[in-house]
Amino acid sequence: MPNRKKGHHLERWEVALVKAMLATEKYNDQDVLAYFTRPTRSINHRLISEIRSEKKHKAIKPANSDQLAEFLNCWPNVDDETGLSLRGDELLVKAREAMIAAVHNFNSAGLHFRAEIFITTAVIVWTYLCHAWFKREGIDYRYKINGAPKLLASGAEAYWELGKCLRIDKLPVAKAVRRAVRARAPLADRTAIRDV
């Protein structure tokens, strides 16, 4: 069975969906709870009750009917093997898939730059893992300019690159591992990236 996450909270997009479900009056609190609890995350019944009574998340608007329909149509969107939600755990899913791709590329016959491809993809994997941890812990990992998120030329928000992530002391990665990753991945300190 997959490990449970420490963070047992709902994200803003989930709160909006909960509000939309409650507004239909087709779901009781327990029904709604079932849509947001998964093997890797247990949500307390109290959270749904607090949303219903507006004790918490009052400022978040309900999702519209199209957003709710899209959510309900793809539910349960949980990977059976890992227990990860394809939407709620998107960064972890991306990290896992990127590492699988890195290993496949490295083991492919006929490629002359396998090591370089593996290292570059591994930097992406490590970055997604760091971002997933920051997201779960509520740490804003976006670059800011005068308090506003920095935007890339494409208009996407700029997120910390791996080198910046590895300099955050709270990140639960041993110092020796941090040094090893940075030594093998000099690109880790280069550019801010877009992750979702």
Side-chain angles (χ1 to χ4, degrees):
M1 176 160 180
N3 292 331
R4 287 184 177 274
K5 294 181 187 177
K6 282 196 290 185
H8 302 296
H9 66 280
L10 293 170
E11 295 185 38
R12 291 181 65 85
W13 64 271
E14 293 174 306
V15 172
L17 288 167
V18 168
K19 286 186 171 189
M21 291 176 81
L22 293 172
T24 68
E25 299 184 2
K26 295 179 184 175
Y27 306 92
N28 65 35
D29 291 5
Q30 189 63 43
D31 295 335
V32 173
L33 184 66
Y35 281 91
F36 297 94
T37 297
R38 51 187 181 264
T40 56
R41 182 182 72 172
S42 177
I43 298 295
N44 190 293
H45 189 274
R46 169 187 48 79
L47 295 177
I48 306 302
S49 173
E50 289 172 344
I51 293 168
R52 180 187 290 280
S53 67
E54 296 190 328
K55 285 184 182 175
K56 291 201 173 172
H57 308 294
K58 190 172 183 176
I60 297 175
K61 294 185 175 151
N64 64 42
S65 58
D66 289 339
Q67 292 167 324
L68 179 58
E70 180 186 351
F71 173 75
L72 294 173
N73 287 336
C74 69
W75 192 91
N77 211 354
V78 175
D79 181 287
D80 292 331
E81 185 179 341
T82 63
L84 296 173
S85 163
L86 299 180
R87 183 168 177 192
D89 297 314
E90 181 181 13
L91 295 172
L92 292 176
V93 171
K94 286 181 176 183
R96 180 178 181 268
E97 289 181 358
M99 185 50 76
I100 290 168
V103 171
H104 281 303
N105 280 326
F106 189 78
N107 291 332
S108 294
L111 295 178
H112 297 288
F113 300 102
R114 293 182 297 189
E116 291 89 342
I117 293 169
F118 180 86
I119 290 169
T120 302
T121 309
V123 168
I124 294 168
V125 171
W126 271 96
T127 305
Y128 279 142
L129 290 173
C130 292
H131 288 185
W133 187 83
F134 292 140
K135 184 177 181 181
R136 186 187 75 194
E137 297 299 312
I139 297 170
D140 190 355
Y141 54 96
R142 297 174 296 175
Y143 279 104
K144 302 281 181 81
I145 297 175
N146 297 324
K150 177 182 176 181
L151 299 179
L152 301 174
S154 66
E157 292 180 339
Y159 294 90
W160 296 344
E161 75 285 345
L162 181 57
K164 168 83 172 164
C165 294
L166 293 174
R167 288 191 293 275
I168 303 302
D169 290 333
K170 290 181 181 180
L171 189 69
V173 176
K175 287 183 181 181
V177 174
R178 292 171 195 245
R179 282 193 303 271
V181 170
R182 292 185 71 197
R184 285 163 182 78
L187 292 176
D189 284 323
R190 295 281 165 80
T191 57
I193 70 159
R194 174 183 177 268
D195 69 10
V196 286

